[in-house]
Amino acid sequence: MEQKKQKPTAENETLIVSRRIQRVSLHLSPVPRPLHQHDTQEQLGLFPCARSAKLEVETEKLSLYMRGKYREIQEKIYEYFHARPELQTPLEISKDVHRELCWRQMYGLIKEAGIRPLKYVVEDPGKYFAIVEAAGAVDISLGIKLGVQYSLWGGSVINLGTKKHKDKYFEGIDSLDYPGCFAMTELHHGSNVQGLQTVATFDPITDEFIINTPSDGAIKWWIGNAAVHGKFASVFAKLMLPAQDVKGVSDMGVHAFIVPLRDLKTHQELPGIEIHDCGHKVGLNGVDNGALRFTSVRIPRDNLLNRFGDVSRDGKYTSSLPTINKRFAATLGELVGGRVSLASSSTSILKIANAIAIRYSLLRQQFGPPNQPEVSILDYQSQQHKLMPMLASTYAFHFATSYLVEIYSQMKTTHAEQLVGDVHGLSAGLKAYVTSYTAKSLSVCREACGGHGYAAVNRFGILRNDHDIFQTFEGDNTVLLQQVAADLLKQYKQKFQGGTLAVTWNYLRESMNTYLSQPNPVTARWEGVEHLRDPKFQLDAFRYRTSRLLQSAAVRLRKHSKTLGGFGAWNRCLNHLLTLAESHIESVILAKFIETVEKCPDASTRAALKLVCDLYALNHIWNDIGTYRNVDYVAPNKAKAIHKQTDYLSFQVRNIAKELVDAFDLPDHVTRAPIAMQSEAYAQYTQFVGF
Ligand SMILES: Cc1cc2nc3c(=O)[nH]c(=O)nc-3n(C[C@H](O)[C@H](O)[C@H](O)COP(=O)(O)OP(=O)(O)OC[C@H]3O[C@@H](n4cnc5c(N)ncnc54)[C@H](O)[C@@H]3O)c2cc1C
């Protein structure tokens, strides 16, 4: 029973204020409380209630369940850098020194540690993503530099080229003898790749392509590896052929070409190549981004990456794909690996931030009940609200991105057609969703650690600055979410025409009929804990929301296109479409999480994961409660029950938070050392609680 609130009198108001002043002044000049090894857990001051009903979690078992198949290679990378302090990135480092260090880190991994990423890009993509993820945990610049060399430059040669290209370049790329770039973006065109202006004109007399930058706006910009280290680039340009019947040339659309940039021995820029430095950036300063201008650069016809379109000796164009649009889609479709890699690396960065913020919040004590020790800041409800749903999301992303890596690997190794749609939609959606979430969370984690979070040694600053651009490169997030929305609408249309749906989209088949009928007034009032924690209720709620957004988007688009045309109608509904895409991705993430919980063989690990999964689901439903209330999907009593249950789950997850972050199994020098290094006192804390 809730206690009736007493009306505050002037007298007890004064009492409250003076108690508050007392506490704050204690905080400003605290009574020193020495930390000794024999201090007990009591003195760390957990709220007594915080220790009640704690689930037993065995970190080892949880960690084992989470680990991918590729832990061994990740440990090899961590150990390699741990054993070489001279290769670890110092806190204060200039751009030029960082670039050279990043090169030496990559060189060491390949030449000394014997890692061959390109081999895995082809044979075992999951292992390749694990390498990039581990390298990124050491220094995000290194993860990105590897991505440029192997996913972008290497990936474009392997996926857009044919056997002759693999025979000629594979070994040089894998061994780092051929460092290269991926030159797609131009000064005037980033997201709109079809608007690129660089041209590659075929010269039938010399059997060459001539690469030209026709205007300043067509200068290739932001090209990783170009400013200092790259010797080659895969350059995206419009393929121009001399027209057969009329004077002039025919534009065959955007294709990729291998263009040597620098002399292999002297490293001098080759004739017609002009390279500029994009300079100091907000983050990722270990990567040398540059700008490229081409003036009549001649390359052999063989340098056209000709998997989707070829030019014969006599200048005839052939392709298995009938239109420019289809060839363009196939070309870009081969490059989704970069998005898969960013989604999984971003999740890994979120794990690091979570681990630092949560461990710190367990140790840090501020205020407390009168005449009692101060309490851990993680015992404050507000701190739990900042960090526990985030921890739940980190787990959710871990399982969702692991699934994405798995289906991407299957698609690449089996070439199974039915996976293509799924991988494309999910890689765009997860890359956008996860990287946006991580970017916001990095600031929350910094803030959750107060002033110490601002010390560079605790990593939030560098993580935030380096990760920020994950939201933009490999496809701007707003643009990628539109691809997801467009895909959903296409599938929605096909559903009514009896077509097949991609696996991840399958739920829409049932959901549209079930979910679009009026909400059931009886279940709308159910508020029992068992019901709220039933995965069916949770998933139904997520899918209901997505289905309604999809149906209403389709209706609105149809209506507006009559007056505004297709482009105008899309723009009029853009925010609606972005919400739809996010809602769909959230549904897919939850479905994967539920499946992973149910499959877990160990009962106590399953119980812990179920708790985290419930928090993920109910916190989302609560955040969107307005949507559910508007259509009476959830009655007022149920909304209240969801809120209470979310608070309770945050609290329960807080009780096992240490085990949950330990299960990430991150090496000490990635997360633990910074806090221990902060000061003597923190070193003692760290030792004391056995972190
Ligand atoms: C550090 C770094 C490294 C990079 N490395 C490489 C590389 O190695 N190779 C390479 O080729 N490129 C590289 N890039 C370029 C990167 O891929 C592009 O910056 C990215 O694709 C976005 O393009 P843009 O910068 O032109 O942004 P724009 O497309 O101009 O976007 C600007 C804003 O407009 C919005 N916007 C654009 N179109 C739409 C739309 N249709 N609907 C709604 N909103 C829209 C976006 O959401 C964004 O907020 C790199 C960039 C950086 C910063």
Side-chain angles (χ1 to χ4, degrees):
M1 270 238 310
E2 259 183 48
Q3 270 192 332
K4 254 193 169 176
K5 272 195 186 151
Q6 279 186 339
K7 249 190 157 188
T9 62
E11 202 179 307
N12 58 25
E13 246 180 354
T14 321
L15 207 72
I16 292 168
V17 171
S18 71
R19 234 190 267 147
R20 184 83 196 141
I21 293 171
Q22 228 180 338
R23 294 221 60 77
V24 172
S25 64
L26 256 177
H27 168 58
L28 293 174
S29 40
V31 182
R33 221 169 57 89
L35 254 179
H36 297 299
Q37 292 293 317
H38 59 263
D39 271 1
T40 63
Q41 186 85 14
E42 288 302 321
Q43 279 172 296
L44 277 178
L46 296 182
F47 270 142
C49 51
R51 282 175 302 184
S52 64
K54 180 180 185 296
L55 264 181
E56 285 308 316
V57 190
E58 286 182 56
T59 309
E60 268 293 296
K61 283 187 180 161
L62 177 56
S63 191
L64 201 67
Y65 188 57
M66 289 184 65
R67 271 179 182 201
K69 291 180 272 180
Y70 307 110
R71 190 62 193 171
E72 219 174 283
I73 194 132
Q74 292 192 323
E75 263 159 21
K76 187 174 170 179
I77 292 170
Y78 294 141
E79 277 161 23
Y80 174 75
F81 285 107
H82 195 49
R84 283 169 183 72
E86 76 282 4
L87 285 185
Q88 286 165 22
T89 312
L91 279 181
E92 290 178 47
I93 185 166
S94 71
K95 163 179 71 62
D96 294 336
V97 177
H98 197 177
R99 284 173 173 184
E100 275 324 295
L101 176 63
C102 196
W103 170 260
R104 280 192 284 120
Q105 290 170 334
M106 180 159 79
Y107 197 82
L109 266 189
I110 309 307
K111 300 280 188 190
E112 239 178 72
I115 288 171
R116 302 311 291 261
L118 198 59
K119 179 170 131 67
Y120 301 127
V121 168
V122 176
E123 291 171 11
D124 191 352
K127 197 165 188 170
Y128 166 72
F129 296 133
I131 293 169
V132 175
E133 192 185 311
V138 173
D139 182 338
I140 302 181
S141 282
L142 173 62
I144 296 302
K145 184 111 175 151
L146 273 170
V148 171
Q149 172 70 9
Y150 294 101
S151 267
L152 295 180
W153 156 233
S156 58
V157 173
I158 300 303
N159 294 315
L160 302 179
T162 47
K163 185 174 178 305
K164 62 183 176 187
H165 301 111
K166 285 173 214 158
D167 290 347
K168 189 165 172 189
Y169 293 98
F170 189 101
E171 187 47 37
I173 296 174
D174 211 10
S175 64
L176 263 192
D177 292 342
Y178 293 171
C181 320
F182 177 88
M184 182 181 266
T185 304
E186 294 175 0
L187 191 53
H188 280 183
H189 288 98
S191 304
N192 181 9
V193 180
Q194 263 176 313
L196 296 183
Q197 299 294 312
T198 305
V199 283
T201 312
F202 182 60
D203 178 353
I205 299 169
T206 59
D207 197 23
E208 289 171 324
F209 284 103
I210 310 162
I211 313 287
N212 266 306
T213 303
S215 64
D216 285 353
I219 296 173
K220 295 288 177 187
W221 206 270
W222 284 129
I223 309 307
N225 241 352
V228 181
H229 297 123
K231 300 230 194 256
F232 296 88
S234 47
V235 174
F236 288 76
K238 291 191 287 187
L239 194 165
M240 302 299 219
L241 286 181
Q244 304 291 323
D245 39 7
V246 279
K247 256 190 152 190
V249 286
S250 315
D251 177 354
M252 308 311 293
V254 174
H255 289 64
F257 302 81
I258 296 178
V259 181
L261 299 179
R262 293 183 170 99
D263 186 275
L264 276 177
K265 286 203 181 96
T266 63
H267 205 61
Q268 282 301 304
E269 288 163 23
L270 293 169
I273 309 273
E274 212 182 296
I275 303 179
H276 298 273
D277 195 326
C278 289
H280 195 257
K281 303 187 291 286
V282 170
L284 289 184
N285 279 302
V287 184
D288 51 314
N289 292 89
L292 304 170
R293 185 200 286 271
F294 306 101
T295 310
S296 299
V297 175
R298 287 183 168 268
I299 54 167
R301 183 169 53 93
D302 266 354
N303 285 21
L304 163 67
L305 292 168
N306 60 344
R307 177 162 162 213
F308 296 117
D310 205 358
V311 174
S312 62
R313 176 66 192 89
D314 58 354
K316 291 221 172 63
Y317 185 81
T318 49
S319 171
S320 53
L321 300 164
T323 61
I324 286 189
N325 281 350
K326 286 217 156 79
R327 290 193 290 271
F328 180 71
T331 302
L332 290 200
E334 282 306 320
L335 305 174
V336 295
R339 286 175 198 158
V340 179
S341 184
L342 284 192
S344 85
S345 292
S346 181
T347 305
S348 156
I349 291 163
L350 186 57
K351 283 182 198 165
I352 294 172
N354 264 236
I356 298 173
I358 290 171
R359 283 180 177 146
Y360 179 79
S361 300
L362 282 163
L363 297 170
R364 181 71 167 179
Q365 299 166 345
Q366 296 288 306
F367 306 99
N371 306 320
Q372 285 183 43
E374 290 189 301
V375 301
S376 144
I377 56 172
L378 199 55
D379 282 327
Y380 289 108
Q381 195 182 45
S382 51
Q383 191 83 347
Q384 285 167 17
H385 272 234
K386 281 178 201 165
L387 297 177
M388 296 304 103
M390 189 193 295
L391 181 57
S393 293
T394 310
Y395 267 79
F397 296 168
H398 171 87
F399 294 122
T401 52
S402 303
Y403 168 70
L404 173 63
V405 166
E406 196 183 302
I407 57 172
Y408 174 83
S409 301
Q410 274 174 26
M411 179 189 86
K412 292 307 272 185
T413 47
T414 63
H415 306 286
E417 267 301 306
Q418 75 271 23
L419 284 174
V420 173
D422 233 21
V423 170
H424 285 194
L426 199 56
S427 59
L430 272 181
K431 183 270 181 187
Y433 192 88
V434 171
T435 59
S436 290
Y437 185 94
T438 299
K440 287 185 202 99
S441 303
L442 285 165
S443 287
V444 175
C445 286
R446 199 296 295 153
E447 189 203 320
C449 293
H452 290 308
Y454 203 61
V457 69
N458 286 326
R459 295 198 73 185
F460 293 121
I462 191 73
L463 291 177
R464 196 166 54 181
N465 286 354
D466 283 353
H467 175 275
D468 191 68
I469 196 66
F470 280 39
Q471 300 174 95
T472 301
F473 58 23
E474 294 284 349
D476 170 83
N477 284 357
T478 307
V479 174
L480 289 182
L481 286 176
Q482 290 180 61
Q483 287 177 18
V484 176
D487 241 23
L488 282 164
L489 283 155
K490 198 169 119 201
Q491 305 262 349
Y492 176 75
K493 230 177 172 178
Q494 278 172 359
K495 176 191 135 64
F496 292 109
Q497 291 163 354
T500 52
L501 298 175
V503 186
T504 318
W505 270 240
N506 236 338
Y507 73 91
L508 292 171
R509 191 193 307 278
E510 305 106 47
S511 71
M512 295 310 281
N513 301 332
T514 324
Y515 299 140
L516 294 179
S517 51
Q518 282 307 304
N520 181 334
V522 179
T523 52
R525 299 188 55 76
W526 285 357
E527 58 172 43
V529 173
E530 244 176 66
H531 168 67
L532 298 184
R533 296 188 60 184
D534 180 352
K536 178 162 169 23
F537 157 67
Q538 297 165 357
L539 205 49
D540 274 357
F542 274 51
R543 290 175 169 180
Y544 172 79
R545 181 168 178 259
T546 313
S547 305
R548 280 197 75 95
L549 283 163
L550 177 54
Q551 197 233 13
S552 50
V555 170
R556 286 187 65 207
L557 280 171
R558 209 173 311 132
K559 183 182 120 194
H560 288 304
S561 55
K562 286 182 194 141
T563 48
L564 302 173
F567 186 86
W570 187 267
N571 199 20
R572 174 66 67 88
C573 301
L574 198 45
N575 286 332
H576 185 154
L577 293 163
L578 296 175
T579 311
L580 162 67
E582 284 169 345
S583 174
H584 167 66
I585 292 301
E586 284 162 3
S587 300
V588 176
I589 293 173
L590 178 64
K592 250 317 119 203
F593 202 171
I594 290 171
E595 195 185 308
T596 318
V597 174
E598 284 167 356
K599 276 205 270 186
C600 179
D602 175 63
S604 67
T605 308
R606 193 167 58 245
L609 287 174
K610 170 86 176 90
L611 197 69
V612 179
C613 184
D614 286 345
L615 176 58
Y616 176 78
L618 291 184
N619 182 60
H620 269 283
I621 297 173
W622 174 246
N623 285 342
D624 273 322
I625 203 70
T627 312
Y628 294 108
R629 282 288 303 115
N630 272 347
V631 289
D632 278 330
Y633 189 85
V634 164
N637 66 315
K638 188 169 187 168
K640 205 168 156 195
I642 291 170
H643 188 206
K644 263 173 83 173
Q645 192 55 213
T646 309
D647 275 353
Y648 172 79
L649 289 169
S650 280
F651 183 65
Q652 289 297 322
V653 170
R654 173 257 174 268
N655 280 342
I656 54 167
K658 177 184 179 309
E659 290 85 346
L660 289 170
V661 293
D662 283 353
F664 292 153
D665 206 10
L666 294 160
D668 284 6
H669 58 96
V670 168
T671 53
R672 294 179 183 188
I675 281 180
M677 279 154 53
Q678 186 63 47
S679 71
E680 262 291 283
Y682 278 100
Q684 284 178 1
Y685 262 135
T686 308
Q687 225 177 341
F688 172 67
V689 290
F691 279 178

